[in-house]
């Protein structure tokens, strides 16, 4: 884990943190980029070996390259400390395990990321008797009603990554504190540039860094940020014992991604808004889900919490599942694949072919298509969507 150092306070803006925090030139022989410490152990000093104590012992516990990534992300989230993990799911499961005990009760919005849902409802439920109440999440009274004496965590994801539903972070954090309940959030959609949940009293912020933070679709990585006390506890228990530490090379690639995060996100956000507005005008589109649109069903929460948006958009195809599939398979620039947040445009169809009930139980409408607007030219992307809609029209 890394706790922010006094010298980190010199970087006052998100851009300066992204580009330079941790560039300790004197310590790293003038290297413009901090090096990869690709070693498992660090020798300890003896009276004879001339080695100074660096504070590092073993890479599962801490490593200088990982340390720089953790300090950068802690500073971006306004946290005292952060801990990097081998994946987003490793970070999220560690944050959940920090709060739950045997027979704990957890409250979560029904739109959370699928494997997080499975971790709660299958793994923790079957092995440790954890119970979960799913809520819509936008009404704090619904969450108050769901509280039980054994509730130990309110887990949030705002906006969610399939239909971009939001929760009222401040109201929920206040409610949780009133009842001595912990709070954690998956903040991946917003990134630390567009929303900092700790500001509103949320206890732990999780990210998959496999998306915009990495930005190049070449790493799987995760991070948890929060108070020094909580991050220390997570590192000594969940990270050190379960062992899902970040590899130094992964940390180095993450640092490379973070340096350009503000400029990449600006383009994703601008192109995302252009595409979302265009989609709203198309006869093949029934409804668009995008926080940057005035039509977002929770516009009040978007205005209250989000400082910007990105390239992730979903929409309901206005036609048959066969036509929706033809649209997806006819795309040429949007590749068919599950992730998002990289340089490239992608498409998936989470509920195409499902009944409304089936999709509804996952918090989504049927016939939902999700696209990620990458860094390609936005007119080329719109032309691609247009030709694929035309192809889909040919299916009867
Ligand atoms: C919103 C969200 N949270 C968490 C994850 C899990 O991250 P990872 O794949 O790095 O384990 C994903 C991955 O797609 C995601 O989209």
């Amino acid at each position: 884990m890394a706790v922010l150092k006094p010298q980190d306070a010199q970087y006052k803006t998100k851009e300066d943190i992204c580009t330079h925090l941790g560039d300790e030139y004197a310590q790293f022989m003038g290297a413009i980029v901090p090096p990869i410490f690709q070693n498992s152990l660090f020798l300890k000093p003896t009276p004879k070996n001339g080695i100074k104590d660096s504070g590092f012992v073993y890479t599962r516990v801490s490593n200088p390259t990982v340390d720089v990534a953790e300090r950068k992300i802690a500073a971006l989230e306004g946290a005292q400390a952060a801990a990097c993990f081998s994946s987003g799911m490793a970070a999220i499961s560690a944050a959940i395990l920090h709060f739950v005990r045997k027979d704990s009760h957890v409250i979560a919005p029904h739109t959370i990321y699928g494997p997080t849902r499975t971790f709660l409802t299958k793994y923790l439920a079957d092995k440790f008797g954890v119970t979960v109440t799913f809520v819509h999440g936008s009404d704090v009274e619904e969450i108050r009603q769901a509280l039980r004496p054994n509730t130990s965590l309110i887990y949030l994801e705002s906006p969610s990554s399939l239909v971009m539903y939001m929760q009222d972070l401040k109201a929920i954090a206040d409610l949780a504190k009133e009842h001595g309940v912990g709070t954690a959030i998956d903040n991946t959609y917003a990134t630390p540039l567009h929303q900092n949940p700790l500001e509103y009293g949320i206890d732990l912020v999780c990210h998959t860094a496999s998306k915009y933070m990495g930005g190049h679709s070449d790493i799987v990585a995760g991070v948890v940020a929060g108070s020094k006390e909580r991050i220390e506890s997570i590192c000594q228990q969940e990270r050190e014992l379960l062992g899902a530490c970040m590899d130094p090379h992964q940390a180095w690639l993450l640092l490379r991604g973070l340096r350009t995060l503000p400029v990449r996100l600006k383009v994703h956000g601008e192109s995302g808004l252009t595409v979302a507005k265009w989609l709203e005008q198309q006869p093949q589109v029934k409804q668009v889900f995008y926080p940057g649109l005035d039509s977002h069903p929770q516009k009040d929460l978007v205005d209250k919490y989000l400082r910007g948006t990105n390239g992730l958009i979903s929409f309901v195809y206005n036609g048959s599942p066969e036509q929706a599939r033809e649209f997806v398979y006819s795309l040429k620039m949007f590749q068919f694949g599950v992730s998002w947040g990289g340089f490239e445009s992608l498409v998936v169809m989470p509920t195409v072919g499902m009944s409304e009930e089936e999709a509804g139980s996952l918090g989504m409408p049927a016939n939902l298509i999700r696209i990620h607007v990458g860094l390609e030219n936005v007119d080329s992307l719109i032309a691609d969507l247009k030709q694929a809609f035309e192809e889909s029209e040919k299916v009867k």
Side-chain angles (χ1 to χ4, degrees):
M1 76 171 271
V3 176
L4 279 176
K5 293 187 176 171
Q7 66 261 35
D8 298 339
Q10 69 186 287
Y11 302 103
K12 307 276 185 234
T13 68
K14 304 267 188 204
E15 290 84 353
D16 297 349
I17 294 168
C18 282
T19 44
H20 287 309
L21 188 148
D23 291 351
E24 276 135 24
Y25 305 127
Q27 190 186 330
F28 298 137
M29 297 178 179
I32 192 72
V33 169
I36 315 176
F37 281 83
Q38 193 73 42
N39 46 299
S40 57
L41 75 140
F42 296 82
L43 296 178
K44 289 170 177 271
T46 71
K48 294 192 176 176
N49 67 7
I51 292 170
K52 286 197 196 128
D53 191 355
S54 65
F56 295 99
V57 177
Y58 190 60
T59 286
R60 175 158 49 79
V61 179
S62 58
N63 172 285
T65 314
V66 178
D67 188 89
V68 176
E70 291 174 335
R71 279 161 52 208
K72 244 190 218 306
I73 296 166
L76 288 172
E77 275 296 5
Q80 288 174 340
C84 282
F85 286 82
S86 56
S87 70
M89 273 315 293
I92 289 167
S93 54
I96 293 174
L97 287 170
H98 172 75
F99 289 108
V100 300
R101 305 282 173 273
K102 188 173 167 305
D103 299 326
S104 282
H105 173 245
V106 176
I107 301 171
H110 60 163
T111 46
I112 56 172
Y113 178 63
T116 308
R117 187 187 181 100
T118 307
F119 182 63
L120 289 167
T121 58
K122 298 269 191 301
Y123 191 91
L124 291 178
D126 292 353
K127 289 198 178 231
F128 304 106
V130 169
T131 48
V132 189
T133 303
F134 287 106
V135 292
H136 184 273
S138 57
D139 176 8
V140 73
E141 281 315 306
E142 185 198 12
I143 296 177
R144 190 189 296 278
Q145 296 300 321
L147 284 167
R148 295 186 199 161
N150 60 336
T151 306
S152 62
L153 170 65
I154 304 176
Y155 179 86
L156 308 173
E157 189 180 314
S158 183
S160 65
S161 64
L162 285 167
V163 276
M164 296 46 153
Y165 277 147
M166 297 192 63
Q167 295 101 51
D168 191 336
L169 306 189
K170 170 89 172 68
I172 295 170
D174 288 350
L175 174 74
K177 286 204 181 348
E178 200 185 302
H179 292 268
V181 171
T183 44
I185 184 170
D186 182 338
N187 196 34
T188 305
Y189 182 98
T191 83
L193 298 193
H194 290 164
Q195 177 174 268
N196 299 119
L198 301 173
E199 261 176 35
Y200 307 107
I202 299 293
D203 293 319
L204 286 177
V205 179
C206 310
H207 288 274
T208 160
S210 324
K211 313 300 173 197
Y212 287 115
M213 283 189 181
H216 295 73
S217 296
D218 53 11
I219 54 167
V220 170
V223 63
V224 182
S227 69
K228 179 171 177 285
E229 197 186 344
R230 285 195 191 280
I231 298 299
E232 225 159 44
S233 161
I234 288 176
C235 285
Q236 284 163 8
Q237 297 191 59
E238 286 78 21
R239 195 175 69 174
E240 226 175 291
L241 302 180
L242 300 180
C245 59
M246 179 174 275
D247 177 79
H249 186 233
Q250 196 184 7
W252 188 83
L253 287 171
L254 170 57
L255 285 168
R256 188 192 58 172
L258 286 171
R259 282 186 202 106
T260 57
L261 179 63
V263 282
R264 284 186 289 106
L265 210 53
K266 187 168 183 294
V267 177
H268 286 294
E270 286 167 4
S271 299
L273 183 61
T274 305
V275 171
K277 285 184 172 166
W278 180 84
L279 283 170
E280 275 199 315
Q281 307 304 316
Q282 306 313 305
Q284 297 88 351
V285 173
K286 203 184 270 178
Q287 188 180 2
V288 181
F289 299 93
Y290 186 70
L293 291 176
D294 287 342
S295 61
H296 189 280
Q298 296 165 303
K299 180 93 176 62
D300 53 334
L301 292 181
V302 172
D303 292 345
K304 189 166 171 188
Y305 291 110
L306 277 188
R307 291 189 291 266
T309 57
N310 60 33
L312 206 58
I313 305 168
S314 62
F315 62 92
V316 178
Y317 186 93
N318 188 17
S320 68
E322 292 72 29
Q323 287 178 310
R325 282 194 198 99
E326 184 62 21
F327 163 75
V328 169
Y329 299 150
S330 300
L331 288 164
K332 294 180 179 144
M333 293 192 80
F334 289 82
Q335 300 299 324
F336 187 38
V338 289
S339 195
W340 53 281
F343 59 93
E344 76 284 24
S345 290
L346 293 168
V347 61
V348 280
M349 36 184 176
T351 64
V352 171
M354 283 186 194
S355 68
E356 288 296 348
E357 275 106 29
E358 222 180 323
S361 72
L362 301 171
M364 290 177 265
N367 244 6
L368 190 77
I369 292 174
R370 187 186 75 183
I371 60 170
H372 176 250
V373 176
L375 299 177
E376 301 91 344
N377 179 285
V378 69
D379 294 332
S380 313
L381 293 175
I382 288 177
D384 190 28
L385 293 166
K386 189 167 182 298
Q387 66 78 25
F389 278 134
E390 283 161 11
E391 286 304 305
S392 71
E393 289 282 294
K394 295 178 188 163
V395 174
K396 290 291 160 232

